[in-house]
Amino acid sequence: MDTFAEPYTRAGDDISLDAVRDHVRALEGRHKANGVQLSGRIIHVCHYLPVTCTITSTAARDGVLSPPPTPPRVLSDVPPSPSDELPPLALPAQPERWKLTPRYGHSAMTSGIRSLSVTHEQIILGWTGDILSPAAPPDGNSSPDGDVNPSTGERVPSVRDRIPSSRISQEDKDALDVELAQYIDKNGFEPETGKPISYLPLWMEDNVAHGHYDGYCKQTLWPLFHYLLWQDVATEHASADANYEYYEQANQAFATRLASVLKPGDLVWVHDYHLLLVPRMLRNAMHSGAVSGVGGENGGDVTIGLFVHTPFPSSEVFRCLPRRKEILDGMLGANLICFQTYSYTRHFTSTCVRVCGYETTSKGAPAASASASRSASVVPRSTTATGIEFTRSGKSKKGGAGVEKYVGIDVQGHVAAVTHCPVGVDAERVAKDTLRAGVQPKLEALRALYADKKIIVGRDKLDVVKGVLQKLRAFEKFLHDYPEWQRKVVLIQVTSPALTDSPKLERQVSELVAHINGEYGSLDFVPVHHYHQTLRKDEFYALLSAADLGVITPLRDGMNTTSMEFVIAQERTKRSPLVLSEFMGISQHMADALQVNPWDLGDVAAAMNRGLVMSEEEKASRHAALHSVVTTHTSHTWAAVLAKMLLSQINGQNTARQTPYIPRDSLKTLYDNAGKRLFLFDYDGTLTPIVKMPSMALPSPDALTALAKLSSDPNNIVYIVSGRDQAFLEEHLGHFPRLGMSAEHGGFIRSPDSAVWMNFTASLDMSWMEEVAEIFRYYTERTTGSHIEMKKSSITWHYRSTDPEWGQFQCRQCQDLLENNVVPKRPIEVLVGKKNLEVRPIAVNKGEIVKRILYQNPGVEFIFCAGDDKTDEDMFRALLLFPPSSTGKATMEPPLSVTLVDNTKEHSDVELAVSPEAVFTTAVGHSSKRTLASWHVTTPEEVVEHMLHLVGEVPKGPGEEVKGYL
């Protein structure tokens, strides 16, 4: 069984930044040598642009300009100018329409993204944010409710300084595009030498933008991802579905804007929980042909990554979300989904399995070796008891050859790889910031102010998940349990304003601070100094440098950068220890910190005491280990590893072969021109969707109409080739007299206009069934919800109603037992289906039936065959009638299904009338599904829709199906 005690980073990632970049170049070189199209671009899709946009255009700020003075009506009315003979005056330069400044926040992500300019051209797509006005109050001072950007010291205008997006003219929007093209970050993020970075603004209506971000993101998703339900944080009328429509609209706007700039071979990274629907929406657009040159029959492909910066909760928490399936399906549209820690990948994988019923598989991605195979095989039986495997084999720390294996989530044949990669900070930049001229004076002032005191520092957002209340209570317990520290230690707690105000939390913090100061303070001593404000950069680094102990104890957090900045700031001062919450994503990364459970006040108090009494030698040892981690796994390394992992997906199973969408016009033309036609349909997952209870998989009215129309045409031969038994097929489809049927995966067949079933297993040894049934009974007793289905020619063990992970584990155990102990002695084969395990005779399969039907009807000039799972690959294989690029006729030998049943006469080869372009083998599922089929549709409804189109009918079902599931 897997545990949570996995390494925080992965083998091969603890190498230098230059080595990772060399690996990236090697991967790209190998892809290009193999004919893979790469554009050399990475497109990052972020909620915000890393730029704050302030408009200086008076039209937008003040309203409509007054019209200019009316010119003279007659030219002669113009009085002579006294300056006609004077030299022309130099006109003042036109003022810029926009003022662009760096946006405060997400500096680690932004610096990592920009560092990729060393190897790639980049585009950063993001919302413009609220458009700001430079207008200040009449007195010229800053707005009292405005904030200060600690990076620049500049005022961030308040709400009343913001301009509605509806008042921004198209001319102003075009001007912003021009100025963004010339923008260079004055904070120095841009590499001195590198490829260009472009900024692509997204405009959204204010109600959509704020309903998306302030509504669904902050009131529903943010609490959920931090193990809080919406009713725990909302003030009143909490609803998990409120504002979802805005979330969907905003994600669609991002996907549409992104689709407009895509090129074949682009790498796309979608960032964070604000945009979880974008991968699926973008993939839908690609597969429907809405993106020029990308997807479709002849277009190239785009590789999509999704990085989630927040924690991801356990399945029992996430399943409370009403829109859980929409969110998960949106995420699974990506080729690669990446989290901060290994445990978050486990939570996500378990959620996909338990909530949506999807299956997991291991997914191989070749390393950079030129000799590595282009294709990576799926090994479904190699995962563990929980269905999760996260190993890397054959991979040295120097980036040697091998195969990287990822967990894969299989959704209708599209396998999304799941992995983790920790974010760091820009260590070099932070180290330079600690040496700013303004830091040292403030550091000396702090030392003078608390000359005889130990300083404990905490800096958090005033957010319920940051654990400020628990930290203050732990400090109170520290003073109570260790009275020798009373009047000798102070806690300086800075709480920067959160994105959403919480008056209740602010009041609780203030009351608790007052209580501690009243209990343990005096007129000349205050133990807790609480500052609810945003610190300037000089003040922040001076505070970190002066600390004797850092305490960062959120109740749940992803990658807290303050802890890393603390370690770097301490390098030139005291090298003080750090107390960290074990519920942070970074906790496994920083094992040499004093890790605590923030809910255990005694544990936190003891850690505070231990940190203050720690010897200099231990401090130095712990600090050295932490400093090594922080300066090795930086934001630049993180970004380079992301690029490497996304490039590794290109030759994986996910993008090895994109099956084109079936061309409706060509299908119709060839159907109309053919004299005799053959249709072969699977049932479950092809004509009807997969359902939890097999007995509920009933044909829709549209499916029945299509079968009726097709089978009534005397030029058509129509067969249902299913794993269902004879009774089920006759009950639901037996009223079509000209419909042929094959039951139990080719074990039985009933020809059109006949009521007699032919048994292909009559001459076979079927004594193995009891032996297999005994094994299935053993696993049924130990797997609650599973059951056995006995057929005449096969036996199936179903586990769809079991616990998903336990059922999958038991299936693999049973499969191993059968293949190692029964299959070598018996003429049988084991098939792993969708939530089932089937054993059948080795000579009986759908492919043999298809060969028999085609052998008996060699004159057909059009063939359509549709199926959705592994058993249907036998049909597709049987219809591989022509060698590549063949234009001639095919000849067919007598198949086993003919000679086995009718061995009383000689059977000769037959020449087939069908041409290669008239054979439409069609897989139901994602275009990246591994299949022998030549074409694909995405859903069973689309199969029916195409059949109705052939006979001149339109679907009567509710609503029009949207092409593309992922």
Side-chain angles (χ1 to χ4, degrees):
M1 298 289 287
D2 285 331
T3 70
F4 286 94
E6 291 289 332
Y8 186 71
T9 54
R10 295 144 318 183
D13 288 343
D14 54 343
I15 54 180
S16 70
L17 177 59
D18 289 338
V20 177
R21 286 173 175 167
D22 289 343
H23 194 166
V24 168
R25 294 185 184 101
L27 278 170
E28 290 188 319
R30 195 199 70 185
H31 290 330
K32 290 177 181 177
N34 288 333
V36 176
Q37 187 174 8
L38 293 176
S39 68
R41 303 195 313 175
I42 299 179
I43 303 178
H44 297 273
V45 190
C46 310
H47 173 241
Y48 282 117
L49 283 177
V51 178
T52 298
C53 305
T54 303
I55 193 168
T56 58
S57 167
T58 55
R61 194 173 69 242
D62 302 326
V64 180
L65 288 173
S66 299
T70 304
R73 303 177 71 177
V74 182
L75 187 60
S76 61
D77 293 341
V78 180
S81 172
S83 59
D84 279 347
E85 298 181 0
L86 296 177
L89 296 175
L91 296 176
Q94 292 296 319
E96 294 182 345
R97 291 176 182 265
W98 294 91
K99 179 181 179 182
L100 306 179
T101 56
R103 185 179 297 278
Y104 174 52
H106 306 291
S107 59
M109 179 186 76
T110 304
S111 72
I113 289 174
R114 285 173 170 152
S115 70
L116 288 173
S117 295
V118 174
T119 56
H120 290 83
E121 177 187 348
Q122 294 191 97
I123 297 175
I124 301 177
L125 165 63
W127 177 43
T128 59
D130 287 311
I131 301 303
L132 307 179
S133 166
D139 58 6
N141 297 322
S142 295
S143 176
D145 54 349
D147 295 327
V148 173
N149 185 329
S151 300
T152 63
E154 297 178 351
R155 184 180 68 87
V156 177
S158 63
V159 174
R160 67 187 182 190
D161 297 326
R162 297 170 185 169
I163 299 177
S165 61
S166 59
R167 291 180 58 186
I168 307 299
S169 68
Q170 185 60 48
E171 186 178 1
D172 285 330
K173 293 179 181 180
D174 294 340
L176 178 61
D177 290 338
V178 173
E179 297 195 26
L180 281 172
Q182 304 169 355
Y183 173 75
I184 298 178
D185 183 7
K186 66 182 181 181
N187 277 345
F189 279 113
E190 310 287 358
E192 294 181 1
T193 59
K195 299 184 179 181
I197 299 177
S198 304
Y199 300 90
L200 194 64
L202 174 69
W203 296 91
M204 288 192 289
E205 296 179 5
D206 291 336
N207 64 324
V208 174
H210 289 283
H212 163 246
Y213 184 64
D214 301 323
Y216 198 75
C217 288
K218 286 303 175 184
Q219 295 178 20
T220 300
L221 292 182
W222 172 268
L224 182 78
F225 285 176
H226 291 81
Y227 286 78
L228 295 171
L229 297 184
W230 31 94
Q231 68 265 20
D232 298 329
V233 293
T235 53
E236 59 182 41
H237 307 304
S239 170
D241 245 1
N243 299 304
Y244 178 78
E245 61 177 316
Y246 295 125
Y247 185 82
E248 190 174 33
Q249 289 174 28
N251 275 253
Q252 186 62 64
F254 274 93
T256 302
R257 187 73 173 98
L258 176 57
S260 69
V261 298
L262 279 181
K263 295 180 180 178
D266 279 345
L267 303 179
V268 176
W269 268 112
V270 180
H271 289 271
D272 221 0
Y273 69 102
H274 315 91
L275 304 172
L276 298 180
L277 302 181
V278 168
R280 174 180 61 85
M281 291 175 169
L282 178 60
R283 198 164 292 282
N284 280 347
M286 289 164 51
H287 292 159
S288 64
V291 185
S292 177
V294 177
E297 180 177 350
N298 299 314
D301 197 26
V302 171
T303 307
I304 305 170
L306 170 66
F307 191 91
V308 182
H309 293 259
T310 62
F312 196 88
S314 71
S315 60
E316 292 306 306
V317 173
F318 190 87
R319 73 187 313 142
C320 298
L321 185 67
R323 299 286 183 168
R324 60 196 187 184
K325 192 172 188 304
E326 289 90 335
I327 296 295
L328 290 175
D329 283 345
M331 299 173 70
L332 290 168
N335 299 93
L336 178 67
I337 304 168
C338 195
F339 295 90
Q340 296 272 14
T341 73
Y342 175 74
S343 61
Y344 299 161
T345 68
R346 287 179 55 101
H347 292 165
F348 176 75
T349 305
S350 177
T351 300
C352 291
V353 172
R354 291 183 171 278
V355 175
C356 292
Y358 297 142
E359 294 191 352
T360 62
T361 182
S362 66
K363 181 178 184 299
S369 168
S371 61
S373 171
R374 288 196 64 198
S375 62
S377 60
V378 175
V379 188
R381 292 165 46 214
S382 63
T383 51
T384 62
T386 58
I388 300 171
E389 178 186 55
F390 206 93
T391 60
R392 290 169 179 257
S393 60
K395 187 86 163 64
S396 70
K397 289 189 176 183
K398 294 183 179 180
V403 175
E404 301 182 20
K405 288 188 178 180
Y406 299 85
V407 180
I409 309 297
D410 189 338
V411 185
Q412 292 193 349
H414 169 75
V415 180
V418 184
T419 186
H420 74 279
C421 180
V423 178
V425 295
D426 187 345
E428 184 178 348
R429 175 177 171 76
V430 172
K432 290 179 180 178
D433 285 339
T434 62
L435 301 177
R436 289 160 60 107
V439 174
Q440 190 63 27
K442 293 178 175 62
L443 173 60
E444 293 173 356
L446 284 170
R447 286 173 172 169
L449 185 61
Y450 303 106
D452 58 343
K453 303 291 189 298
K454 293 287 188 180
I455 302 174
I456 300 177
V457 168
R459 186 251 197 173
D460 309 272
K461 284 184 180 178
L462 191 61
D463 192 304
V464 65
V465 302
K466 299 300 181 180
V468 177
L469 279 176
Q470 287 74 13
K471 184 192 300 184
L472 291 171
R473 292 184 182 122
F475 182 69
E476 179 183 14
K477 185 166 181 60
F478 164 74
L479 295 177
H480 177 271
D481 292 352
Y482 304 93
E484 65 271 18
W485 285 111
Q486 295 179 17
R487 301 183 63 84
K488 295 181 181 179
V489 64
V490 295
L491 169 64
I492 302 177
Q493 175 63 49
V494 179
T495 53
S496 57
L499 294 171
T500 54
D501 294 331
S502 178
K504 178 181 177 181
L505 179 60
E506 190 172 350
R507 185 182 70 251
Q508 289 175 326
V509 169
S510 298
E511 290 174 352
L512 186 52
V513 168
H515 166 73
I516 296 172
N517 288 338
E519 185 73 21
Y520 296 98
S522 62
L523 291 176
D524 61 343
F525 175 71
V526 178
V528 180
H529 297 257
H530 176 227
Y531 302 96
H532 183 51
Q533 64 186 68
T534 301
L535 295 180
R536 294 176 182 268
K537 187 172 287 189
D538 293 349
E539 297 171 331
F540 174 59
Y541 286 118
L543 184 61
L544 295 185
S545 300
D548 294 285
L549 181 68
V551 180
I552 304 172
T553 53
L555 306 181
R556 188 72 59 173
D557 207 354
M559 200 55 50
N560 187 296
T561 58
T562 302
S563 57
M564 300 184 188
E565 294 166 326
F566 177 88
V567 171
I568 296 173
Q570 285 287 322
E571 174 68 10
R572 301 176 62 87
T573 54
K574 303 177 181 180
R575 304 191 175 185
S576 301
L578 181 63
V579 177
L580 284 185
S581 166
E582 66 185 45
F583 298 122
M584 299 167 61
I586 198 175
S587 61
Q588 297 173 359
H589 195 30
M590 305 181 74
D592 286 276
L594 302 174
Q595 297 192 15
V596 296
N597 176 358
W599 297 98
D600 186 346
L601 303 184
D603 186 24
V604 180
M608 289 180 179
N609 178 67
R610 182 182 175 187
L612 293 175
V613 301
M614 187 178 292
S615 67
E616 294 300 322
E617 293 78 9
E618 186 178 357
K619 285 182 183 179
S621 173
R622 287 178 176 270
H623 174 82
L626 291 174
H627 189 265
S628 175
V629 168
V630 170
T631 55
T632 300
H633 294 282
T634 66
S635 59
H636 294 189
T637 308
W638 163 76
V641 171
L642 287 188
K644 180 192 76 172
M645 292 192 300
L646 203 52
L647 283 166
S648 297
Q649 298 304 308
I650 292 177
N651 274 1
Q653 173 251 348
N654 218 19
T655 55
R657 178 180 182 269
Q658 296 290 323
T659 307
Y661 195 84
I662 189 167
R664 177 180 292 203
D665 293 340
S666 299
L667 183 73
K668 175 67 171 172
T669 300
L670 289 167
Y671 173 85
D672 290 340
N673 293 338
K676 195 174 184 181
R677 316 172 191 106
L678 174 62
F679 290 88
L680 304 161
F681 299 104
D682 174 42
Y683 184 78
D684 292 286
T686 301
L687 291 179
T688 63
I690 298 292
V691 294
K692 195 171 185 68
M693 293 299 295
S695 59
M696 300 301 294
L698 305 180
S700 66
D702 283 339
L704 293 175
T705 299
L707 291 175
K709 291 283 186 178
L710 288 173
S711 62
S712 62
D713 188 331
N715 292 324
N716 293 341
I717 303 169
V718 185
Y719 272 88
I720 304 295
V721 186
S722 173
R724 295 283 189 160
D725 60 23
Q726 302 143 273
F728 181 92
L729 294 178
E730 286 186 332
E731 178 184 357
H732 297 288
L733 302 173
H735 54 287
F736 298 121
R738 296 200 68 255
L739 179 64
M741 302 179 191
S742 174
E744 300 190 21
H745 297 299
F748 299 85
I749 188 170
R750 195 188 83 171
S751 300
D753 294 318
S754 172
V756 178
W757 287 90
M758 183 179 297
N759 183 0
F760 287 100
T761 65
S763 59
L764 300 178
D765 178 12
M766 304 297 289
S767 62
W768 54 266
M769 291 191 71
E770 181 54 37
E771 185 178 357
V772 172
E774 183 63 28
I775 294 174
F776 280 173
R777 282 193 289 268
Y778 172 87
Y779 281 94
T780 302
E781 292 171 1
R782 288 156 179 79
T783 313
T784 304
S786 64
H787 69 277
I788 301 171
E789 181 184 7
M790 295 290 296
K791 302 176 184 176
K792 294 179 181 179
S793 64
S794 64
I795 179 170
T796 306
W797 183 67
H798 295 273
Y799 61 94
R800 185 172 296 277
S801 299
T802 68
D803 177 272
E805 293 179 352
W806 177 242
Q808 192 173 32
F809 171 70
Q810 291 288 78
C811 175
R812 287 166 179 159
Q813 294 293 308
C814 184
Q815 181 184 0
D816 283 337
L817 178 61
L818 290 168
E819 291 182 345
N820 292 325
N821 294 278
V822 182
V823 171
K825 302 180 295 184
R826 298 283 194 168
I828 60 175
E829 60 182 341
V830 180
L831 300 176
V832 181
K834 295 179 178 178
K835 302 292 184 180
N836 65 66
L837 192 65
E838 181 172 3
V839 181
R840 70 184 186 189
I842 200 168
V844 175
N845 58 66
K846 291 184 178 182
E848 286 298 321
I849 287 299
V850 169
K851 290 178 183 178
R852 175 186 175 86
I853 296 170
L854 188 57
Y855 183 82
Q856 293 178 339
N857 299 276
V860 296
E861 299 173 348
F862 173 94
I863 301 174
F864 180 89
C865 176
D868 72 306
D869 65 12
K870 296 175 185 177
T871 63
D872 301 314
E873 294 299 314
D874 292 329
M875 292 197 294
F876 302 150
R877 186 178 292 105
L879 291 174
L880 294 175
L881 305 170
F882 303 90
S885 304
S886 173
T887 57
K889 297 296 183 180
T891 301
M892 189 175 189
E893 298 178 351
L896 182 64
S897 52
V898 172
T899 59
L900 184 68
V901 176
D902 187 5
N903 55 11
T904 60
K905 63 179 181 178
E906 291 291 329
H907 298 279
S908 59
D909 295 354
V910 296
E911 185 178 86
L912 303 180
V914 68
S915 58
E917 65 274 8
V919 179
F920 290 87
T921 50
T922 307
V924 181
H926 193 271
S927 66
S928 61
K929 181 177 185 176
R930 300 191 72 190
T931 179
L932 295 172
S934 301
W935 307 98
H936 96 282
V937 295
T938 313
T939 64
E941 290 80 5
E942 291 175 32
V943 175
V944 175
E945 180 185 339
H946 280 76
M947 295 307 100
L948 290 173
H949 176 69
L950 293 181
V951 295
E953 297 285 339
V954 294
K956 301 294 193 301
E960 186 174 345
E961 285 297 320
V962 178
K963 255 184 207 177
Y965 176 76
L966 287 172

